[in-house]
Amino acid sequence: MTTPRYTPLAASLPATVPFVGPETQERQRGAPFRARIGANESVFGPSPRAVEAMARAAADVWMYGDPENHDLRHALAAHHGVRPENVMVGEGIDGLLGYLVRLMVGPGDRVVTSLGAYPTFNYHVTGYGGEIHTVPYRDDLEDPQALFARAVEVDAKLVYLANPDNPMGSWHSGEAIVRAMDALPDGTLLVLDEAYVECAPEGSAAPVEIDDPRVVRMRTFSKVYGMAGARVGYALGAPDLISAFNKVRNHFGMSRISQAGALAALADRDWLAHVQEQIAASRERLSQIARDNGLVPLASATNFVTMDCGRDGEFARAVVDGLIARGIFVRMPFAAPQNRCIRVSCGREADMAAFAEALPGALAEAQAR
Amino acid sequence: MTTPRYTPLAASLPATVPFVGPETQERQRGAPFRARIGANESVFGPSPRAVEAMARAAADVWMYGDPENHDLRHALAAHHGVRPENVMVGEGIDGLLGYLVRLMVGPGDRVVTSLGAYPTFNYHVTGYGGEIHTVPYRDDLEDPQALFARAVEVDAKLVYLANPDNPMGSWHSGEAIVRAMDALPDGTLLVLDEAYVECAPEGSAAPVEIDDPRVVRMRTFSKVYGMAGARVGYALGAPDLISAFNKVRNHFGMSRISQAGALAALADRDWLAHVQEQIAASRERLSQIARDNGLVPLASATNFVTMDCGRDGEFARAVVDGLIARGIFVRMPFAAPQNRCIRVSCGREADMAAFAEALPGALAEAQAR
């Protein structure tokens, strides 16, 4: 017998990371990126009021954050017109997905998601011994009908659906999602990841009944609110499910500074509107750059534009590598046929200009391989 | 079948919180506390250089933190004279304990700790289906010999030991801990929680070989560094164990602001020395207040003083309630016979004065019950 003794499940897992961070790549290449437009962070930054609130909270950081997240939960409830018991705040959607999977998924339990959808969700499912079943995208859209049909087939405990979708930027109307839910089998919880919904067209948020036990919605301050580094997400759902998070969560896990920042960010609707405008303009600009270089920009309801390079995954990988070599941090979808694309986050004019400057060379290099 | 379907383990768990936060108590009593000296937070605050670093990082919070915690890990390695692969940074010791338990403990696995020791560790063990076995304190000290002997008896995968101890403030020399480890059985990992070691006498940190696979040490920025609300802890251990955290951790879970703050705090040795002095003085002052009121202060190697009220747990609970009613946030040990005591964190002169003012009334009221 040797020390330590891991669980059989833990022993079977690889030491992995769902994404390689841009800092790691910067250390590898020995130089900083000129444009950081690969992780769908909001280059436009957080609300100045949030920055001020966080700076002010820094001196108070000797205190643990409120484990109930009382003020933020109540503000979010008021914002969404629901009750505080419908809201669970956690360490980003990543953290909340981990708790949710832990509550539902044990060895051999089935989970359904789209092939090429969010790897961190899959990481959690595998990490708790779950079995992942996938369905393909349909015309670069997630396919709720196929997802829910597969959930019936495999008796899934969870089905994951992002709307708008990452990495494709595509979306369904919220009404279409709710209609499709008629086909959700008994015993399957829909995890509706709406991380990007604040930059989607009106009507994209699914109008689900807040106490509907069949669905939990995930929201975040990491994207349009510009606070990825603060780790604040929240789940909206029926009180029983929301309360179940209290069985497993890290109660004192929230940064006090992040709590203060999120509260201020939520209140600053002008900044949100400003960022939404910036995103819309940057999407236009990115789409034009794509077209100028013979790529096909996909329509996007997110803060990024996915660009069809018109060939296979190997070619798109070469384009991404060429961009990274030129100091432009971007990423690409993981699975075929979506991995014929590259994915570029919105940014400021300087970021867009750097991308526009680097893209022709990266393309030429990839074509010459 | 109803939605959602929890795992049998999750369904069996209570929705609980290891500690009720002071904010919750403030909301219940409808007034803020006059002195917040109940959670062993560092009222003296974080290094001004850390505050400045966090305030500066707030504007950059649109970026995710580096998932490798590269800079902080390297700085910690240099500080401890070990290699970066001996260091895992995580969301406080609470977060790291959760990951560690998940790696080791499944349903029915045995874990040993002291009766009345850290409840959050027990919360994690129970949360993963582990079986907790306890040994009593011995003269208000954790008892390594008894802990390790019990580990042999029950074939424990983990044994938890805090040195210095919370909630008693007592301590062993680091040499004594290492000597006691000779009796650690094969297959048992010692979790040595050194959260308070920076305010303990020289020689309290256990001089373990950094690559010894039998032990993992936990450290934190929450106590003497004054950054509880930032959620930064770290584990020191053998590379294989440290690397195993990568199988289950929330890779992007660290706040970018907290990373910057911890890096600056670590570098500010003058502030650490200043806080250590403040703590020593406050321990003296608290001990004198205790004696002035007929209580017996226990010797402390931590940033709090545990005071023997000389009667039973019910009496000490009444004293704590009386203090809380008077606006003084304090806590007390959980299990007999240590729960004859109250536990008071160090603080500024205003906090001490408020405690000194409130204590006689709280005691009189408890005696009159």
Side-chain angles (χ1 to χ4, degrees), chain A residues 16 19 28 47 50 55 60 74 111 116 131 166 174 183-184 240 245 261 265 280 285 325 349:
Chain A
T16 183
F19 294 101
Q28 285 165 351
S47 152
D60 288 336
H74 280 247
V111 171
E131 228 176 61
N166 174 25
L184 257 184
D240 280 358
F245 282 90
R285 177 88 161 91
E349 178 46 33

Side-chain angles (χ1 to χ4, degrees), chain B residues 34 154 162 175 178 180 185-186 211 242 273 318 337 339:
Chain B
R34 292 162 59 205
V154 303
E175 293 285 0
V178 170
D186 231 32
D211 289 342
I242 292 301
N339 67 359

Side-chain angles (χ1 to χ4, degrees), chain A residues 1 3 16 186-187 251-252, chain B residues 1 3 16 186-187 231 251-252:
Chain A
M1 198 157 65
T3 305
T16 183
D186 231 31
H251 294 267
F252 286 85
Chain B
M1 197 158 65
T3 306
T16 184
D186 231 32
R231 316 315 300 128
H251 294 266
F252 287 84

Side-chain angles (χ1 to χ4, degrees), chain A residues 167 295 304-309 315-320 323 330-333 338-344 355 359 363:
Chain A
L295 308 185
F304 59 85
V305 174
T306 301
M307 303 172 183
D308 187 342
C309 298
F315 179 76
R317 168 54 54 203
V319 177
V320 165
L323 287 167
V330 298
R331 287 191 177 133
M332 62 181 288
Q338 279 68 44
N339 67 358
R340 71 190 190 281
C341 302
I342 64 171
R343 193 195 68 179
V344 186
F355 173 66
L359 183 58
L363 278 169

Side-chain angles (χ1 to χ4, degrees), chain A residues 1-8 10-24 27 36 39-46 51 54-55 58-59 61-68 70-71 91 94-95 101-106 109 120 123-124 127-128 155-157 185-189 213-215 222-223 226-231 240-241 243-258 331 348, chain B residues 1-8 10-24 27 36 39-46 51 54-55 58-59 61-68 70-71 91 94-95 101-106 109 120 123-124 127-128 155-157 185-189 213-215 222-223 226-231 240-241 243-258 331 348:
Chain A
M1 198 157 65
T2 56
T3 305
R5 283 182 284 169
Y6 299 106
T7 67
S12 77
L13 297 172
T16 183
V17 51
F19 294 101
V20 177
E23 289 84 1
T24 304
R27 286 188 290 270
R36 183 169 161 136
N40 304 339
E41 297 160 328
S42 189
V43 182
F44 314 108
V51 173
M54 289 186 280
V61 84
W62 61 272
M63 293 181 269
Y64 287 101
D66 172 15
E68 293 190 15
H70 176 277
D71 297 350
E91 304 92 333
D94 284 1
V101 169
R102 179 174 164 195
L103 284 170
M104 307 285 170
V105 177
D109 284 338
T120 305
Y123 166 77
H124 290 308
Y128 286 101
D155 186 26
K157 280 186 155 183
D186 231 31
T188 298
L189 179 72
R214 298 173 302 160
V215 57
S222 296
K223 301 301 172 188
M227 293 176 53
R231 312 318 299 130
D240 280 358
L241 176 61
S243 165
F245 282 90
N246 287 320
K247 298 176 167 200
V248 298
R249 73 188 179 97
N250 190 1
H251 294 267
F252 286 85
M254 289 296 298
S255 156
R256 188 177 186 94
I257 295 171
S258 301
R331 287 191 177 133
R348 297 157 304 193
Chain B
M1 197 158 65
T2 56
T3 306
R5 283 183 285 170
Y6 300 106
T7 67
S12 76
L13 298 172
T16 184
V17 51
F19 294 102
V20 178
E23 289 83 2
T24 304
R27 287 188 289 270
R36 183 169 162 136
N40 305 339
E41 297 161 327
S42 189
V43 182
F44 314 108
V51 172
M54 290 186 279
V61 84
W62 62 271
M63 292 181 270
Y64 288 101
D66 172 16
E68 293 191 16
H70 176 276
D71 296 350
E91 304 92 332
D94 284 1
V101 169
R102 180 175 165 194
L103 284 170
M104 305 285 170
V105 177
D109 284 339
T120 305
Y123 166 77
H124 290 308
Y128 285 101
D155 186 26
K157 279 186 156 183
D186 231 32
T188 298
L189 179 71
R214 298 174 303 158
V215 57
S222 295
K223 302 301 173 189
M227 292 177 54
R231 316 315 300 128
D240 280 358
L241 176 60
S243 165
F245 281 90
N246 287 320
K247 298 177 167 200
V248 298
R249 72 188 180 97
N250 190 1
H251 294 266
F252 287 84
M254 288 298 297
S255 156
R256 188 176 185 95
I257 296 171
S258 301
R331 286 190 177 134
R348 298 156 303 193

Side-chain angles (χ1 to χ4, degrees), chain B residues 143-169:
Chain B
D143 186 345
Q145 285 77 13
L147 285 163
F148 301 165
R150 181 62 59 87
V152 175
E153 261 173 62
V154 303
D155 186 26
K157 279 186 156 183
L158 294 177
V159 56
Y160 175 90
L161 170 60
N163 190 56
D165 177 62
N166 174 25
M168 300 312 289

